[in-house]
Amino acid sequence: DWSDVLRMQEGIELNVVYRERQYSVMGNIIKPDPKRDNEYLILLYWLDQTELKTIQKKYAEEKTDVCIILVDNYDDVMNSMDESQKPQMSSMIAKYMREWIGDADGVLKKLDRDRYIFMFEHKYLNKFIEGKFELLDRVREISVGNKTPATMSLGIGCGGENIARNDEYARMALDMALGRGGDQAVIKDDGQFSFYGGKTKEHEKSTRVKSRVIAYALRQLIMS
C-alpha cells in the first residue's frame, strides 16, 4: 500500500512477496520540490531473499524437539488392577503412543516403566498442537480393568540452540505439567510456556514433591 510507504519518512524497509519470490525492499522518499506536497520521488532497491528464507525455514523446521512423556499416575493405575491385566494396560499405552507419533519419523525410547523420550523434527510440532494432543484423551479412556484412569504428562522443549538445551526445556516443561496436576502437555521454548489439556481433577499425592516442582518452575519463570 503506497500510503504505508509514504509514512516511512526515515527510510523504507519492507518484506514483500511477489510472484512467489520473497524480497527485502529498501529505499528512500525524496521531495523534489518542497512547495509541492503531493509530489514524491521514491527510490526502491529489491533484494531477492527467496533462497535465504527457504534455507532459514528448512533449518528451523529440521531442528530437533525433545518430548518427555510420563504416565504420571502409573503406580495408582497398576495397583488398581489384577496382575493378569497389567500387561494389557502397558501394551495399550505403547500402541496409542505409536499411533500418536504417526508419520513424524521421530525416535521414541522407553526410559523407565512409566517414562519415555520422543525426539522429532520441529516441523511436526504444529501437527501435535492442531491435534490437541489427543494422546492424553485416548490414554485416559483406556479401560482394561483399571479402577483409576491412566493419565499422562508431556513436557516438550523447542527453540533452544541445540538438543541439550531442548532436553533441559523439556524437563522444565514436564515439571511444570506435574506441578499443575498432570494430565496435560506443556511446551517450553526459548521465551515462554504453553499449556494444553488438563482435564482430570488434580490428586494430591506428594506435597513435598509438588512444592519442589512448583518452586523450581516458578524460579525458572522469574529468571526468564
Side-chain angles (χ1 to χ4, degrees), residues 140-194:
R140 194 187 312 110
E141 293 167 0
I142 296 175
S143 179
V144 288
N146 50 304
K147 299 179 179 64
T148 301
T151 63
M152 275 187 165
S153 292
L154 280 64
I156 299 174
C158 63
E161 64 268 24
N162 50 45
I163 298 177
R165 181 54 59 87
N166 284 344
D167 179 69
E168 178 186 345
Y169 286 169
R171 295 174 190 278
M172 292 167 59
L174 182 63
D175 282 348
M176 179 67 80
L178 295 175
R180 287 164 49 93
D183 187 33
Q184 59 194 277
V186 177
I187 300 174
K188 169 74 173 77
D189 60 22
D190 196 37
Q192 63 181 2
F193 290 93
S194 302

Side-chain angles (χ1 to χ4, degrees), residues 26-63:
M26 297 180 291
N28 290 295
I29 301 174
I30 302 171
K31 277 190 174 184
D33 187 348
K35 296 180 181 179
R36 298 182 179 181
D37 292 336
N38 295 326
E39 291 186 5
Y40 299 91
L41 178 63
I42 301 176
L43 180 63
L44 299 177
Y45 298 90
W46 291 63
L47 305 179
D48 192 337
Q49 303 280 12
T50 306
E51 291 186 12
L52 175 62
K53 296 293 185 182
T54 300
I55 292 172
Q56 288 176 334
K57 181 181 178 183
K58 183 177 176 63
Y59 172 74
E61 288 181 342
E62 291 183 352
K63 293 193 76 173

Side-chain angles (χ1 to χ4, degrees), residues 41-96:
L41 178 63
I42 301 176
L43 180 63
L44 299 177
Y45 298 90
W46 291 63
L47 305 179
D48 192 337
Q49 303 280 12
T50 306
E51 291 186 12
L52 175 62
K53 296 293 185 182
T54 300
I55 292 172
Q56 288 176 334
K57 181 181 178 183
K58 183 177 176 63
Y59 172 74
E61 288 181 342
E62 291 183 352
K63 293 193 76 173
T64 301
D65 292 353
V66 178
C67 175
I68 300 175
I69 304 171
L70 178 72
V71 183
D72 47 31
N73 61 344
Y74 182 88
D75 290 334
D76 291 342
V77 172
M78 292 304 182
N79 290 338
S80 73
M81 303 176 66
D82 294 335
E83 287 295 327
S84 60
Q85 297 168 324
K86 292 179 181 180
Q88 188 176 358
M89 170 61 76
S90 298
S91 176
M92 291 289 287
I93 290 174
K95 175 177 180 289
Y96 287 160

Side-chain angles (χ1 to χ4, degrees), residues 1-2 5 8 12-26 44-50 53:
D1 190 330
W2 283 111
V5 172
M8 298 179 182
I12 299 169
E13 292 185 12
L14 297 170
N15 292 314
V16 176
V17 177
Y18 180 70
R19 292 186 177 179
E20 300 182 356
R21 305 290 294 179
Q22 300 183 63
Y23 298 90
S24 292
V25 180
M26 297 180 291
L44 299 177
Y45 298 90
W46 291 63
L47 305 179
D48 192 337
Q49 303 280 12
T50 306
K53 296 293 185 182

